[in-house]
Every structure is written in C-alpha cells, then in structure tokens.
Amino acid sequence: MDQPVNGVTLDTPTDNWEEALITGNGRHGALCYGGPEAVRVTLSHERLFLPLRPPLEPPHTAAILDDLRALLRAGRYQDAADAVVRHAAAEEPAYAETVWIDPLIGAGTLVCTPPAGGPVWDFRRTADFTTGVVTHTWRTGAGEVGVDVFASRAHDVVVVRLRGPAGWRFSVEPLPGEPPAPLPDYELNHWQLAPDLYAVRVGSRVDVPADWGTLLRAHTALHRDLFDRVRLDLGGVPVQRLFDAGRYAIISSTGELPPTLQGVWSATYHPAWQSGYTVDGNLQAAVAGLLPTGTPELMLPVFDLLDGFVDDFRHNARRLYGANGILTPAHVSTHGRQIHFGPVWCQTFWTAGAAWLSRLYYDYWRYTGDRDFLRDRALPFLRQAAEFYLDFAPDGVFAPSYSPENAPPATGSQACVNATMDVAAVADLLRNLLAGTAALGIDAPDAPRWRALLAALPAYRIGAGGELAEWIWPGLDDNHAHRHSSHFYPLWYELDPAIAADPALRAAAEVAVRRRLAFWRTSEADEMAFGLVQIGLAAAQLGMTAEAYEALTMLATRYWRPSLVSTHNLDAIFNVDISGGLPAVVAALLVRSGPGRVDLLPALPAEWPAGSVSGLAARNQVTLRRLAWSGGQAEAVLVSSVDQRLTIGLPHNETRQLTLTANIATSLTFPTP
C-alpha cells in the first residue's frame, strides 16, 4: 500500500488497542483504532498512575550487609539473594511476594459512532508523523466519512473532528475489566467546540479556539519543529521509515515526564511491567536518540523525573547499604524507593543505576555545552552518585553486585560480585566528575577521593573464550545466551579509555559483540528488543560495520507492528524502547564523537551506497548541517556553537584537523568506506 511521505497508512480496521495508531503531545496520549462501525480513541495522561499502596520502606539490608558480603565472597550467591528476601519479609510481610510499582493506566475511551450509511469502501487509517494527526476515513453512499485526531502541544487537549453526514454519536466508556486498586481521582473531560469538533483532556476544561485549522496550526508549529530537526534519506529503505516512526513515538510521548515503557499510551489497568520507568536499560534505550537527533530539550524531563526522586534515592542508600549518596532502583513510577526485588531478580544488588543515569546528565552537557546545566544540575547529581560508591565500594569491590537479569552458568544466580557494568559505570562517573569540575574551574574537595576510587577499580577481565567478561570476579564465566548486554557499557557512549588503550581489550570487546549477536540469531532470542540496541551501539563504537548493521536489521524486521509502533517481543507487548533506540543506532553508524573528536561515517553499511542526513548532533557542541554520500564520495557541513579545533575522523583511518568558528558552517569532502 502507498504510504504518506512521513507516516503510515493501513487499509484494515482493528479492535486491538495494541495495534492502534498513536498521537500524543507528551502529556496526553491517544490510541486511535476501530473501524467504520465506530472509531475508538483511548486517552491516557503521563501522570495517571494507579496507586496500588502507600510506598513501602525499602528493605533495611544495611543491618545484614556484613553477612551478605561474607556469603558472596564464599561463592554462596543464591544464599545471599535469599537472605535479602527473608530479612525484608520479616520486617514487612508484603515483601514475601514481589512488590510492584504503580502502573500507568488509561483514562477512558471516546467512542465515535457514525450514522448508519449502508455499504462501506475505501477504508483508510493514517498517522502523519509531521503533524501528529491520525485519521480514519471511508466512503459510503452519502460521501466521505472520517474521524481526525491529534493531541495538541499548544493547548494540551486532544482534538477530535468528525466528518461526513450529521448524526454522529459521541460517548465515553471506562476501560474494560476491574482495576487492581481504587482508581485515583481524575476527570476525563470532553466538550463540544463546534457541531463537528470536540476537545478532550484529563483534568479541568481549558479555553481553546473553536476552529480545527487554528488548533492544528498552533500544534503543528511545535510538533514539526521537533520532528524536522533531523531528516534522513536512505533511498526509501525500511529503516528510514522506522527512523521517522521511532522519533515520532518518542517526541509524542515526551512531556513533563519522559516516555514510560509504553510511552504515554495505555488502555489497560494491567500494563506489562506496570509500564513505569525501568532504568536498568529500557529508559536509557528510549531516550538514546534524543541528543544525537538534535532534540536536547526532550532530555530535560528525564532529569526532572530523577531530581524529583532524589530524597527517595538517598533513603534507599541509607536503608539498603548504610551509605551516603543516592541509590536508584531498577523500576520507578510515582516514587523512587527500592521496593521491587525477589530471590531470582535480586535487584537490591543492582547499584550501577545512579552512575549510569549520571552519564545522561553529563552527555547533555557534552552535546549542548550548557555550563549552567553542568554546574546546577549535572554535577550535583553526579556528586551524590559518587558519594554512594565512595561509601559502598571504597576498595573497588562491588559486593553485592548484579549484571541486569543475567546469571553466570556455574552459579545460576543473578547475585554476584564485581559485575563489569558496575565497574564501568562508576569509572565513567568518576572520570566525568573530574572532567566536569575541571571544565568549570570549580573547587572539588572530593577529587582526591574520586581519583583514589578510580585507581582502586579492578581492570576489565578477558574471559576464557577471549571475550570481554561480563563479570570481573574470578570464577564467574559468561552466559552469552542472554537478552541484556550490560557489560557493553564501556562501548555505548564515549569509548572507555582502558579499552581504547589496550588492543587486547578492544579485541575482547569485539569477540563479546559477536558472541551476543550469535545468540540473537537463534530462535531463543525473541524478547526484549532493546538488547539489540545495546549490541548495535557497541558495534558502531568499535567500527564493526557488519555487526552493527545486522543488529539494526534485526531491530527493523522483528519488532514493529504494521502501525509502525514498536514491540518488546516478537509481535507482542506494545513498547517504545526501540522507538528511541533504533534512531540512536542509525545515528551511531553515521557519526561518532568523543573528547575533541568527531568521526564521520564510522560504520557506514555497504547496503547504504548513497544517502544523506541533516541535523545530527555530536558531542563537542557540533551539528552536522548536512552529511551526504554517493558514488564513493561524501560531503559534510559542520557547525560548532563555539570556536574550537577538532580532530575529524574519516574512513580509511584518515584524520583531519579542522578549525571551526562559532556558528559558521565548515565543509569538507572525503571518500566513503
């Protein structure tokens, strides 16, 4: 079927909300589905979480920390995980079962029922990524009939226009099924602006223009500004459409808060994993493309969310480990307390979260050069994260430790000591603290302690199979058949200096990428698509073009419904993680950046012999106004927001020194790989 230039058109109706077309303004989301009998629009709101219970106290495992460490050092890993659950349940009986965060739920469904019109033909449902308008249209003997919907960024309402003969019925239905707890107090208000025009929102009514065109123009100006920051042309290959579709979903689901697992959309009281914020990989994948695609302001809701939970994070650190600083749980929604764990998923042992999230703060500075942000928001968060690790692992030994959801084959337990992720994320944090304070020239009385901990961290280990090991602790061999690749942390952002300086470690990292990718070729690898984002970013960083492209191809061919909304598993579970992750991998194939350096076309696939992109951003405050390639030649136009001299890495191991003048375009040409 012919597709709109930037969007998707389908000719089949659906009653399944998970196959709906989506529109959103970040605060409100609308799932649009149904058919000629009735078009259904299920609304949700970024703050509409169902409170299951008052927040529990995090488990007071600081009281048994010495015992836990003794068990772990003795190799009794599962005994340590079991001890946490026993201790927690003795204090709080609710912990005898797995406790979940509060879920994101839908607010209700608008049902738009047309007048009876006889036979129907030419049914179409369309989502336009450039405007955010979703349309259902069909023809009857009385002419064209349709429903148009968009979520206005300008007026914070969902706008519904009914087209065709008079006699439409417009009603509101609750979500199906029974909620697991009493519903929160909220209103789903709808009101008629004109005979064919309605406004809908969660919350009180607001004044809006009673004209479709006026409403749409105000919204489109804001939405299109974000969407058009980057334009990619790969000659119409499927990845190009998914790059646009993914960016559309993430832009549409970023408001005052970042996207949850399901963005800003929900039509159920029981979403998968409660559709909160899972910060051991999912949230990071969802927002991975925001800085490279030139929309840094959409990262600010991530920091607003985290800064709002800092008191809970500090409470976690004290309760779990008797430490200062902050400790982030793997799952958050309405609070930041560590309440979700069990004997198998022993997530109280995962301490890398604050260090990992610190990288997002630091990267915002690295891309934008916003010194006020670095001073007032990034460094305070980074300092609090470091406080925890200075108390928790002053000797560089992470015990307890946890490599998200994976277990060494010899132990069968996810509990461990010295997961590579922990060491890598904390090393990254400490380096960034030292560099960030130096960049501002501010006093850092803790700098000697940061340096001491950095020096105490253990070296990365090369496993028996020649791969970068997932666990540094001796005796913990790798399990390559797993959906996470947390030990690739040193490869996701700026290449870890230890790997950059050691050819043996770099070779081991390449082996690890190939081993994980081999697992994804098997029939077992059907779930958690964002694991392929982790592989793709790592491969691109290492210049492993074929492997990066294979990971991207798997992402593009396995995990998207016809609606061009991504899924968590193969054709299962509405989920937007890779909606942000796929554009990030595409960007990583085309531009790589590190301290004082920008590399162009570092992993350009042979399958893209010609193409162009405009608007990609790089660290060092650089924007690619244009990057185009064809016929073996490429042209780049770079703009820096500051005067600087950069090393430009090019294919064939060529480098050039480029002097950039602030806000003045500089062009260069070079041969493609």
Side-chain angles (χ1 to χ4, degrees):
M1 167 175 296
D2 293 338
Q3 302 294 338
V5 173
N6 280 298
V8 57
T9 295
L10 302 171
D11 60 6
T12 54
T14 181
D15 291 326
N16 181 355
W17 70 266
E18 292 203 36
E19 297 177 355
L21 298 178
I22 57 174
T23 182
N25 63 7
R27 288 175 53 77
H28 284 89
L31 294 157
C32 306
Y33 52 112
E37 295 79 13
V39 173
R40 306 175 71 82
V41 182
T42 298
L43 265 70
S44 47
H45 189 277
E46 65 178 351
R47 297 190 184 274
L48 187 52
F49 290 92
L50 175 62
L52 298 179
R53 62 174 60 80
L56 298 175
E57 275 286 287
H60 189 214
T61 52
I64 60 168
L65 180 56
D66 289 344
D67 294 339
L68 295 176
R69 285 176 166 165
L71 289 170
L72 291 163
R73 287 177 181 273
R76 297 171 59 187
Y77 301 107
Q78 190 56 51
D79 288 345
D82 293 339
V84 169
V85 177
R86 284 196 306 273
H87 182 79
E91 290 185 321
E92 169 53 69
Y95 285 133
E97 303 290 338
T98 301
V99 175
W100 277 95
I101 58 173
D102 298 334
L104 182 76
I105 62 172
T109 299
L110 315 174
V111 183
C112 308
T113 307
V120 168
W121 63 93
D122 288 345
F123 175 82
R124 293 288 188 275
R125 53 190 182 110
T126 299
D128 185 336
F129 299 155
T130 62
T131 64
V133 176
V134 173
T135 297
H136 287 64
T137 61
W138 59 93
R139 299 190 66 80
T140 70
E144 186 173 275
V145 183
V147 178
D148 308 319
V149 182
F150 70 92
S152 171
R153 278 194 173 268
H155 296 97
D156 197 24
V157 294
V158 175
V159 182
V160 181
R161 180 174 67 170
L162 310 176
R163 293 185 284 118
W168 283 87
R169 286 182 289 125
F170 192 84
S171 59
V172 178
E173 294 180 352
L175 299 187
E178 291 296 322
L183 290 174
D185 184 19
Y186 71 92
E187 293 180 300
L188 177 55
N189 272 304
H190 67 280
W191 61 102
Q192 196 165 10
L193 300 173
D196 62 346
L197 193 64
Y198 289 83
V200 192
R201 76 191 305 266
V202 176
S204 58
R205 297 187 181 189
V206 294
D207 292 330
V208 296
D211 175 75
W212 169 268
T214 301
L215 286 164
L216 182 58
R217 283 191 295 274
H219 160 72
T220 300
L222 300 175
H223 175 86
R224 180 168 266 161
D225 171 62
L226 293 167
F227 185 77
D228 284 350
R229 298 278 178 89
V230 170
R231 295 188 178 185
L232 176 70
D233 182 358
L234 296 176
V237 301
V239 164
Q240 180 181 323
R241 289 185 63 220
L242 298 180
F243 181 90
D244 288 341
R247 292 190 63 241
Y248 171 72
I250 298 300
I251 289 169
S252 300
S253 57
T254 304
E256 292 180 353
L257 298 173
T260 70
L261 292 175
Q262 294 180 180
V264 70
W265 298 282
S266 182
T268 176
Y269 296 126
H270 303 278
W273 302 287
Q274 309 295 74
S275 188
Y277 304 98
T278 302
V279 299
D280 67 354
N282 303 70
L283 176 62
Q284 290 90 334
V287 302
L290 293 179
L291 292 172
T293 59
T295 52
E297 66 268 50
L298 298 185
M299 285 296 295
L300 296 175
V302 176
F303 311 134
D304 292 341
L305 175 76
L306 299 173
D307 289 350
F309 289 152
V310 160
D311 286 345
D312 281 350
F313 296 162
R314 296 190 73 88
H315 193 52
N316 293 338
R318 291 190 297 269
R319 289 280 296 176
L320 270 68
Y321 294 112
N324 292 308
I326 57 177
L327 174 64
T328 61
H331 300 275
V332 299
S333 62
T334 54
H335 60 81
R337 296 192 176 193
Q338 171 56 281
I339 62 168
H340 180 80
F341 57 92
V344 175
W345 315 97
C346 46
Q347 291 178 338
T348 64
F349 289 177
W350 189 62
T351 64
W356 190 354
L357 295 168
S358 292
R359 165 49 82 161
L360 305 187
Y361 283 80
Y362 190 72
D363 251 3
Y364 182 91
W365 143 254
R366 295 281 288 113
Y367 276 85
T368 67
D370 186 337
R371 295 172 68 86
D372 290 341
F373 178 88
L374 177 64
R375 181 188 63 245
D376 299 334
R377 299 200 69 175
L379 288 179
F381 191 90
L382 270 65
R383 286 177 186 271
Q384 292 180 87
E387 281 182 43
F388 173 79
Y389 301 112
L390 290 170
D391 283 355
F392 173 71
D395 57 355
V397 177
F398 292 80
S401 187
Y402 182 80
S403 192
E405 302 185 18
N406 201 0
T411 70
S413 175
Q414 295 177 18
C416 66
V417 178
N418 277 6
T420 296
M421 160 171 269
D422 290 352
V423 174
V426 172
D428 186 50
L429 163 66
L430 297 171
R431 288 192 299 267
N432 294 340
L433 263 173
L434 291 165
T437 52
L440 294 183
I442 61 177
D443 182 45
D446 282 334
R449 299 178 68 208
W450 300 336
R451 291 190 181 95
L453 178 54
L454 185 59
L457 295 176
Y460 298 133
R461 184 170 67 87
I462 298 177
E467 70 282 341
L468 178 69
E470 187 161 355
W471 296 275
I472 295 172
W473 197 248
L476 300 181
D477 293 329
D478 279 23
N479 173 26
H480 301 294
H482 199 264
R483 55 195 177 273
H484 282 263
S485 296
S486 301
H487 55 315
F488 292 174
Y489 183 98
L491 312 172
W492 290 332
Y493 299 101
E494 297 171 276
L495 186 63
D496 189 295
I499 294 176
D502 186 341
L505 275 178
R506 186 183 183 103
E510 294 175 358
V511 172
V513 167
R514 294 188 181 101
R515 294 278 170 81
R516 263 317 194 267
L517 195 55
F519 161 69
W520 281 91
R521 298 187 192 110
T522 70
S523 59
E524 300 173 56
D526 65 349
E527 61 179 15
M528 206 200 81
F530 85 79
L532 285 165
V533 174
Q534 295 181 331
I535 294 173
L537 293 175
Q541 179 71 256
L542 294 168
M544 302 173 69
T545 301
E547 291 82 359
Y549 183 72
E550 184 177 1
L552 178 64
T553 300
M554 290 181 186
L555 277 172
T557 56
R558 293 183 178 185
Y559 299 102
W560 300 81
R561 291 211 166 102
S563 60
L564 297 192
V565 178
S566 56
T567 62
H568 186 275
N569 294 357
L570 290 176
D571 196 30
I573 309 178
F574 185 108
N575 187 279
V576 303
D577 299 346
I578 68 166
S579 290
L582 182 142
V585 175
V586 171
L589 298 178
L590 303 178
V591 181
R592 179 174 60 207
S593 55
R597 182 177 177 125
V598 174
D599 297 332
L600 303 177
L601 304 182
L604 179 67
E607 291 80 0
W608 300 348
S612 65
V613 65
S614 62
L616 286 182
R619 297 178 184 86
N620 308 302
Q621 301 164 247
V622 171
T623 299
L624 272 295
R625 183 170 291 178
R626 175 174 167 79
L627 177 61
W629 63 96
S630 66
Q633 290 293 310
E635 177 192 17
V637 181
L638 294 80
V639 179
S640 169
S641 62
V642 294
D643 293 345
Q644 60 177 317
R645 187 168 176 81
L646 287 177
T647 297
I648 306 299
L650 301 173
H652 309 292
N653 296 317
E654 181 186 355
T655 60
R656 297 185 193 173
Q657 300 302 311
L658 208 61
T659 299
L660 300 176
T661 302
N663 303 315
I664 301 297
T666 301
S667 300
L668 70 157
T669 58
F670 55 94
T672 58

